[in-house]
Amino acid sequence: MSDIAQVIIIGSGPAGLTAAIYAARANLAPLVFEGLQPGGQLTITTEVENFPGFPEGIQGPELMEIMRKQAERFGSKHHFEYVDKVDLSKRPFEVFVGDTVHRSHALIIATGASAKWLDLEDEAKFQGRGLSTCATCDGFFFRDKEIFVVGGGDSAMEEANFLTRFASKVRLVHRRDSFRASKIMVDRALANPKIEVLYEKEIVRYLSDNGKTVTGARLRDTRTGEEMDSRIDGIFLAIGHTPNTAFLDGQIALDPGGYVLLNGPTGTSVEGVFACGDVADTRYRQAITAAGHGCQAAMDAEKWLEAQGAH
């Protein structure tokens, strides 16, 4: 059993690391559990061009490393381990990492949400190299290009419409003959002259001429099973996200999709437990909004600890 920390931060993306910076500067000596692949979704984003302060852009992993060093400068301690479970039924809270139990007066959850992928061969290799799950992040790189958007929900419609600002042609690939998206979103997409719908089709393989970037995809007809190869400059997957909240085991309130329900800007249903970033954000999902939310969570945790006489 370890000593009691003022605050433990679970997560290592822009939300978690910004929370660490602010908590460390407030002399809370935060303990940060980053997981085995730290940096959140930015670890699979090659070029970040919309984060303020980097006019030439910056690599996603590099940005996370800079933020980590900034937090460490002020005294945060980082562990590259996964949190297996937590016990929020008593104070101090208990955080279980393997056989080790860490205790803290306050807890900040910044575990993010993982984009859903198709689980196809070479998928990891092509992430950020013609294959993306974020139109807002990567749409700019596909100016005057032809792209696929995969999905049938509101997110797919929204991303397809957004990408027509850049792409010359957007083809919506959907495995069914109708969309589950709301009617207004479907109508908007179908009315866009740059959008073409490929009904009852699914991607079964990514194709590449050079072995490094996506240059096409193999489509299968979901009715007949017939397959055909199609050249394409990029593929955006818009099939949803999974919030990383399983380890909470239902101990705080979640919405039907598994995202943390917030009480105020960053509070949760358990007093002393705060949440920030994509684990609670179903709308923006940007590095800069996650970072701002992480700042709020750290400040809220500091004020709560002070009110409890623990800081």
Side-chain angles (χ1 to χ4, degrees), residues 19 25 53 60 66 75 92 149 159 161-162 164 169 174 177 203 208 216 222 227 229-230 244 256 297:
R25 289 192 76 246
I66 290 171
V149 172
E159 299 230 329
N161 267 309
F162 175 81
T164 60
K169 190 73 176 179
H174 186 45
D177 61 359
I203 295 177
S208 175
T222 57
E227 295 185 357
D229 291 348
S230 178
N244 300 316

Side-chain angles (χ1 to χ4, degrees), residues 44-58:
I44 57 172
T45 302
T46 50
E47 190 80 12
V48 180
E49 291 200 320
N50 55 6
F51 199 91
F54 299 94
E56 303 302 321
I58 185 171

Side-chain angles (χ1 to χ4, degrees), residues 58-85:
I58 185 171
Q59 296 290 307
E62 183 184 359
L63 176 60
M64 293 299 90
E65 180 63 24
I66 290 171
M67 293 176 73
R68 180 181 303 109
K69 287 179 178 177
Q70 189 171 357
E72 288 175 330
R73 175 189 167 202
F74 298 113
S76 65
K77 302 295 182 185
H78 297 249
H79 295 267
F80 301 102
E81 301 171 299
Y82 279 119
V83 169
D84 297 304
K85 60 180 180 177

Side-chain angles (χ1 to χ4, degrees), residues 3-170:
D3 294 333
I4 302 174
Q6 295 264 53
V7 60
I8 285 178
I9 299 170
I10 307 174
S12 60
L17 292 179
T18 302
I21 292 169
Y22 275 79
R25 289 192 76 246
N27 293 323
L28 295 179
L31 189 59
V32 185
F33 288 98
E34 296 206 26
L36 299 178
Q37 187 181 14
Q41 293 188 68
L42 284 191
T43 57
I44 57 172
T45 302
T46 50
E47 190 80 12
V48 180
E49 291 200 320
N50 55 6
F51 199 91
F54 299 94
E56 303 302 321
I58 185 171
Q59 296 290 307
E62 183 184 359
L63 176 60
M64 293 299 90
E65 180 63 24
I66 290 171
M67 293 176 73
R68 180 181 303 109
K69 287 179 178 177
Q70 189 171 357
E72 288 175 330
R73 175 189 167 202
F74 298 113
S76 65
K77 302 295 182 185
H78 297 249
H79 295 267
F80 301 102
E81 301 171 299
Y82 279 119
V83 169
D84 297 304
K85 60 180 180 177
V86 295
D87 186 351
L88 308 180
S89 65
K90 57 188 176 183
R91 294 186 196 159
F93 302 121
E94 292 185 344
V95 174
F96 296 81
V97 180
D99 296 328
T100 306
V101 181
H102 300 268
R103 297 185 297 168
S104 69
H105 294 297
L107 185 65
I108 295 176
I109 300 166
T111 46
S114 301
K116 294 180 181 178
W117 300 84
L118 296 178
D119 295 326
L120 299 179
E121 184 181 356
D122 293 330
E123 194 161 61
K125 180 172 76 172
F126 292 131
Q127 290 173 14
R129 295 173 174 84
L131 180 62
S132 173
T133 57
C134 180
T136 312
C137 312
D138 300 326
F140 179 82
F141 302 113
F142 294 88
R143 191 174 295 278
D144 299 324
K145 305 287 188 180
E146 294 192 7
I147 58 177
F148 281 160
V149 172
V150 180
D154 281 353
S155 293
M157 303 301 132
E158 189 173 351
E159 299 230 329
N161 267 309
F162 175 81
L163 287 164
T164 60
R165 301 181 190 182
F166 309 100
S168 59
K169 190 73 176 179
V170 175

